Every structure is written in structure tokens, then in C-alpha cells.
Amino acid sequence: MRNPFVTLSFIVFLLMGLCGATAQTRVIVDADTGNEVDDLFALARILMEPGVDVIALNAAHWQTSHWTEPRSMENSHRLNQQLLGEMGLSVPTFRGAPARMYDWGDRAQHSAATYQIMERAGKLKNGEKLTILVLGALTNVASALFLKPELDKKLKVYWLGSTMDFNKGVLKRNDFNSLMDPFALDLMLESDTEMYVMPINVASALTIEREQMAQEIGMLPLGRFLMDRWQRHIDGGRKDRVLWDLGLIAAFLRPELAQTTVVKTSRDSGDRNITFYKQIDAKEIYQDFYQTLKASNTD
């Protein structure tokens, strides 16, 4: 006769295993992948994280940049799909806004990315939140809130952008991601959305030389793809870069690699508490990236 205690123990073990397998953190990532080089590095990092389930990859525009392409969002969408193909992954991809929010009336950009944010957030129970990591303009998320302002309490948004003077408590908006859609940033700041912001002056610590990066990852299949993007970009001749977006992704995945502080913004910037990243460990962030990429190598 089978020992009932052993049978019960096996069932409990099995249930624990099943629970653990589904206990991943579910996130949406919103990226202007075609704009710069750093997006692909950041996306590769989070897509390799076993504890995170990227439930959607949204394409963002970079339409007002000096080096923009006629269909910048489509360029980002194409690169998102190309990266997934290189990694052998299947993640839902959505087209976002083709440009910034409008100036009057219905200011929202009605895109697939915006509507899937609204749909997912709308299905959440009270107290649950949809986590979105935004690596570019805030257009897609802000458009969702413009159409359904009541969803702000159901969103947790991590964003790379702005410049924060921590000594004076002054938030400036003269960086690339802010200027791609100033109204979207205003809307987000004035909402009750839970926000975590990595300012550009903090992410700037992530300067890396091309030779060092190539030495670390250039022999890996995915590494070769990423380095090819470095060289094929419009300013591909650069010997060093700041991989800005990798900072936000790494700080989200490994909070011990960053320090945060809560700042109450000024009256023209929401007049509310927002968590800002004030310092990151750039060396350890890159070590984490190298090790993760090498561990996932299947070539």
C-alpha cells in the first residue's frame, strides 16, 4: 500500500513547482527601438530574464528627431520583430503612435499599443497594477490615460527621461524622450500613475567603448547582431556610446544596482511624489549584461 504521506508530499511539491513556474513578473515594454542603439541591448536583457514575462512589446515613434525616418514607429516595430526572431522568441508586438499626441480636441493617438494597454489595465482588479517600462516617448501610455483617465491607479510606469537636479529638486524636460512628446509627459506627471523615473543625467554613467563591448559579446550570435546594430546606425562610427535604456531595465530587474529617492515635484510638474533613480552601478550593470548574454548562448 502506498504511503499516503509520501503521496500528499508529492502533490504539494508538484503544486509548488507549478506555482513557481507561473510566478513571473508580467510587463509591457514600450520602445523607440529604431531611434538609437541602446534599445536593442535593453530589450535583449529583459527578454533573457527568466523571472520576467514580457507580455507585449510596443513600438514607439521618434518622429521629431533630426535623424528621424519617414515612418519612425514602423522602423521600431520592424526591429522589435527582428530581435525576437534573432532570439527565437514569440512575444506579441504592437504598433504604437506614429507621432506625438495631438494639440487639441481628442489629443490621443489611437494605436494598437494604446488599446491593448487600456484592455489589459481595464481587466485588473482593484489593487492590481499593469507594469509598463517605457524607453522612449510616453505617447502610447499617455494616450491610454487620455482616453481612460480612471486607469491611472492601475498602472505602474518605469520611464527613462528628464533631467533631475537632486540638490535643488528641479525637474527639467530638455532631453530627447521628453521632447518627443511634451504633452504626454505633462499628462503622466499630473495623473496618479505610480511612476519610477531614471533621469538622463543618471543614466549617462553607462558610457561604454565599442571595443570593450565587442570583446565581451562579439563572439556570441546575439552579440554579433547587437554589435552590427551599433555599426549600422546613422552614427555607427562612434567609438563609445551611452546605452541609456539598459540602465532602466537593469535597475528594474536588479534593484540593488541602483539607488532611488522620492521627490515631490513642483506645481507645474504634478505636485506629487515620484520615485527617481539617483544613482546606478554602471560597472555591475554591464557585468550583469555580459553574464546573462553568455549564459543564454546556445551557439
Side-chain angles (χ1 to χ4, degrees), residues 191 193-195 262-265 270-276:
S191 72
T193 306
E194 183 179 351
M195 291 186 69
V262 176
V263 176
K264 185 171 184 179
T265 59
D271 191 26
R272 68 184 181 98
N273 291 331
I274 292 178
T275 300
F276 285 85

Side-chain angles (χ1 to χ4, degrees), residues 56-249:
L57 182 51
N58 296 342
H61 73 90
W62 39 290
Q63 202 58 52
T64 56
S65 168
H66 286 298
W67 60 35
T68 192
E69 300 186 5
R71 303 173 71 197
S72 66
M73 181 276 296
E74 289 291 344
N75 182 249
S76 295
H77 183 63
R78 175 185 64 81
L79 282 171
N80 287 346
Q81 294 183 318
Q82 186 177 357
L83 176 63
L84 293 172
E86 291 286 338
M87 298 181 71
L89 298 175
S90 179
V91 175
T93 57
F94 295 89
R95 288 178 168 86
R100 66 180 177 85
M101 296 179 73
Y102 294 106
D103 296 330
W104 54 272
D106 181 359
R107 303 185 68 166
Q109 286 279 2
H110 294 252
S111 69
T114 284
Y115 275 90
Q116 62 96 16
I117 290 172
M118 292 163 55
E119 180 181 2
R120 289 184 179 276
K123 292 180 179 179
L124 295 177
K125 300 176 182 178
N126 290 336
E128 296 180 337
K129 294 198 176 187
L130 177 65
T131 299
I132 307 175
L133 288 84
V134 183
L135 308 181
L138 287 158
T139 309
N140 296 331
V141 182
S143 291
L145 288 184
F146 186 91
L147 294 170
K148 287 195 173 182
E150 67 274 13
L151 293 179
D152 61 355
K153 293 180 176 61
K154 292 188 175 184
L155 298 181
K156 180 188 293 186
V157 173
Y158 292 77
W159 178 58
L160 175 84
S162 76
T163 303
M164 170 57 74
D165 185 331
F166 291 101
N167 293 324
K168 298 180 180 179
V170 175
L171 178 68
K172 296 184 178 180
R173 315 177 194 190
N174 54 6
D175 65 287
F176 187 92
N177 286 351
S178 297
L179 294 173
M180 287 302 102
D181 198 334
F183 176 70
L185 175 55
D186 277 343
L187 190 152
M188 295 298 300
L189 290 174
E190 293 170 3
S191 72
D192 288 332
T193 306
E194 183 179 351
M195 291 186 69
Y196 299 80
V197 178
M198 179 169 289
I200 296 300
N201 54 313
V202 173
S204 63
L206 285 166
T207 300
I208 187 75
E209 294 184 357
R210 180 176 58 193
E211 289 187 6
Q212 180 180 351
M213 181 63 73
Q215 183 178 359
E216 292 285 352
I217 71 171
M219 298 303 293
L220 305 175
L222 182 56
R224 289 194 291 269
F225 171 74
L226 295 174
M227 293 309 301
D228 182 69
R229 171 62 179 169
W230 182 312
Q231 296 172 16
R232 288 179 179 271
H233 191 261
I234 191 171
D235 62 347
R238 291 179 55 176
K239 295 183 178 180
D240 60 69
R241 294 184 183 277
V242 180
L243 300 187
W244 315 91
D245 297 335
L246 183 59
L248 181 68
I249 295 298

